[in-house]
Amino acid sequence: MSGGARLVGTVDVVGAKNSVLKLMAAALLAEGTTTITNCPEILDVPLMADVLRSLGCTVDVDGDTVTIDVPAEPGAQADYKSVSKLRASVCVLGPLVARCRRAVVPLPGGDAIGSRPLDMHQAGLRKLGATTEIEHGRVVATAETLRGAQIWLDFPSVGATENILMAAVLAEGTTVIDNAAREPEIVDLCLMLSQMGAKIDGVGTSTLTVHGVTGLAPTTHRVIGDRIVGATWAFAAAMTRGQVTVRGVDPHHIDLVLDKLRSAGARTDIEAGGFTLTMDGRPRAVDFVTLPYPGFATDLQPMAIAVSAVADGTSMITENVFESRFRFVDEMVRLGADARTDGHHAVVRGVDRLSSAPVWASDIRAGAGLVLAALCADGVTEVWDVEHIDRGYPRFVENLRSLGAEISRVSVDPER
Ligand code: UD1
């Protein structure tokens, strides 16, 4: 890809990756056919479909619609091959314990952004009366009866909140999850569970109160728009001094991001279901601190580094969620970024132009951040291993091209 173009135009954002996978897992909680619409066409959706098939479900993925037919007695053991390809598949743990009283889920393994333990998932399920152990690389959870309990999370973990919530909806009595994560994707999950018949109070707050019910019914649900993808386009517009209209995202889910970009000099026009971001000059440096929602999302930290790399002034970026998330900064440095990391801080001194280089995408968001940086680099940049980006950004290259970027995707002979 060649840098230099000003991105101008409109992009449509579809459903959130971090929501759809959990909604697909939630379907396990009810016998019958659940339909999920506005699903992103990303590889993780068919991978999650394979996980559900390995549990006895019939799953049809047709464009943006996923139909899941759940049997009366789903299997309790997720297939190793399917789970190992998809970390988010661990979210079948809660629904399986609730439905089958037993779950065997292979440990999903490490990740380029840092270690991702399951201790809070397990502690929460144990509070509900389950026994959990790690055996031969698998989490084995069993419970004769699940009983409501008071659970305090050490940290508002997204995955732990989801797993405990999906177990608690079918537990006897009342569960209170304190210090729960309150990401919009968790609200989306609560809405779907409520449509299925679950009784959840405090949706959208850090205290979720779940009154267990004896059974849930299948439903039809539309996935919320992907706020991380929407915000990525906002950063792309700001960095290229462009004007991009983003549709399909609730702009209030990225209030903080848009406010940061306004501090950097952008103008925003907010509408229902979208926004337009315009940047006329070089962005000014601003600081970013990642935190659980409603803080600045860790998934956008690479975009924060990218905009800081070309901003006027010096920015401090603090990463509080994943310990290894700065690994990709060395790739930014190859593109000419003046960036230094120390522990969970990065200091970035903005330069006027970056310069092209071959760089490697190590995960979804780092990959997207590198592409944004390459939009501001002189010359032709090659970004390798872009299949990571495909996992979070449907039609990324096509969308960039429609906004005016000079970018193409080439398949390369692995022997090269
Ligand atoms: C989800 C998102 C991911 C996002 C992250 C934080 C999905 C598929 N992924 O990941 O894109 O970056 O939320 O917004 O939705 N932790 C523990 N013990 C646990 C669980 C978590 O120590 O039992 C730690 C993790 O190592 C991490 C922090 O808590 O440092 C946050 O993790 P968590 O919120 O659970 O993230 P995920 O659900 O894995």
Side-chain angles (χ1 to χ4, degrees), residues 231 233-236 238-239 255-268 275 277-279 283-284 286 288 307:
W233 293 121
F235 276 98
M239 289 178 64
D255 274 337
L256 194 155
V257 173
L258 296 178
D259 193 53
K260 283 279 169 193
L261 292 175
R262 280 191 293 268
S263 301
R267 274 183 292 119
T268 57
F275 63 91
L277 186 137
T278 310
M279 180 69 108
R284 286 190 292 272
V286 285
F288 296 89
V307 74

Side-chain angles (χ1 to χ4, degrees), residues 112-129:
I113 62 176
S115 84
R116 298 177 89 169
L118 297 179
D119 53 316
M120 283 188 262
H121 301 236
Q122 295 190 77
L125 294 177
R126 281 200 288 266
K127 279 260 172 107
L128 295 177

Side-chain angles (χ1 to χ4, degrees), residues 331-389:
E331 298 299 299
M332 285 282 185
V333 170
R334 278 179 201 263
L335 288 173
D338 182 353
R340 197 165 51 84
T341 61
D342 186 1
H344 64 128
H345 298 292
V347 175
V348 184
R349 293 186 179 82
V351 296
D352 197 28
R353 294 299 293 167
L354 296 168
S355 68
S356 59
V359 288
W360 274 260
S362 51
D363 71 80
I364 305 172
R365 312 299 171 189
L370 288 168
V371 170
L372 296 201
L375 290 171
C376 302
D378 291 330
V380 178
T381 296
E382 288 178 3
V383 182
W384 290 74
D385 294 349
V386 290
E387 58 280 3
H388 288 295
I389 304 176

Side-chain angles (χ1 to χ4, degrees), residues 60-368:
D60 180 52
V61 181
D62 181 13
D64 77 345
T65 302
V66 175
T67 311
I68 304 161
D69 195 15
V70 180
E73 287 182 19
Q77 184 151 349
D79 171 54
Y80 176 78
K81 242 174 59 205
S82 314
V83 170
S84 61
K85 291 189 202 141
L86 181 61
R87 192 186 191 279
S89 56
V90 77
C91 63
V92 299
L93 190 62
L96 284 182
V97 187
R99 256 324 276 299
C100 315
R101 301 296 187 238
R102 180 175 161 79
V104 182
V105 181
L107 283 170
D111 203 297
I113 62 176
S115 84
R116 298 177 89 169
L118 297 179
D119 53 316
M120 283 188 262
H121 301 236
Q122 295 190 77
L125 294 177
R126 281 200 288 266
K127 279 260 172 107
L128 295 177
T131 307
T132 77
E133 278 166 43
I134 307 284
E135 272 176 16
H136 309 296
R138 306 168 312 173
V139 191
V140 181
T142 46
E144 279 185 16
T145 320
L146 290 179
R147 288 210 176 78
Q150 170 80 47
I151 295 165
W152 291 272
L153 293 179
D154 289 345
F155 182 90
S157 152
V158 171
T161 302
E162 290 164 341
N163 257 329
I164 297 166
L165 177 66
M166 288 193 275
V169 287
L170 288 181
E172 281 176 17
T174 299
T175 300
V176 178
I177 311 173
D178 235 322
N179 200 21
R182 47 191 164 134
E183 270 66 4
E185 294 75 27
I186 296 209
V187 173
D188 201 25
L189 175 62
C190 288
L191 289 181
M192 176 165 146
L193 292 170
S194 302
Q195 282 159 213
M196 294 169 81
K199 302 269 176 272
I200 308 168
D201 294 331
V203 173
T205 74
S206 54
T207 305
L208 292 173
T209 304
V210 185
H211 305 284
V213 295
T214 51
L216 295 175
T219 190
T220 296
H221 183 83
R222 183 182 164 82
V223 186
I224 52 160
D226 197 317
R227 66 192 164 101
I228 304 295
V229 173
T232 300
W233 293 121
F235 276 98
M239 289 178 64
T240 61
R241 309 177 193 190
Q243 179 169 61
V244 176
T245 298
V246 178
R247 296 188 300 214
V249 172
D250 182 342
H252 298 303
H253 291 165
I254 51 169
D255 274 337
L256 194 155
V257 173
L258 296 178
D259 193 53
K260 283 279 169 193
L261 292 175
R262 280 191 293 268
S263 301
R267 274 183 292 119
T268 57
D269 295 300
I270 309 291
E271 301 143 33
F275 63 91
T276 300
L277 186 137
T278 310
M279 180 69 108
D280 292 324
R282 183 176 176 190
R284 286 190 292 272
V286 285
D287 293 339
F288 296 89
V289 178
T290 72
L291 279 174
Y293 191 83
F296 184 82
T298 173
D299 285 351
L300 291 170
Q301 183 252 94
M303 317 328 146
I305 299 266
V307 74
S308 304
V310 294
D312 185 7
T314 299
S315 309
M316 163 95 85
I317 294 98
T318 305
E319 172 58 58
N320 289 315
V321 183
F322 286 109
E323 82 264 8
S324 305
R325 206 149 204 177
F326 281 140
R327 275 190 200 155
F328 80 102
V329 170
D330 287 345
E331 298 299 299
M332 285 282 185
V333 170
R334 278 179 201 263
L335 288 173
D338 182 353
R340 197 165 51 84
T341 61
D342 186 1
H344 64 128
H345 298 292
V347 175
V348 184
R349 293 186 179 82
V351 296
D352 197 28
R353 294 299 293 167
L354 296 168
S355 68
S356 59
V359 288
W360 274 260
S362 51
D363 71 80
I364 305 172
R365 312 299 171 189

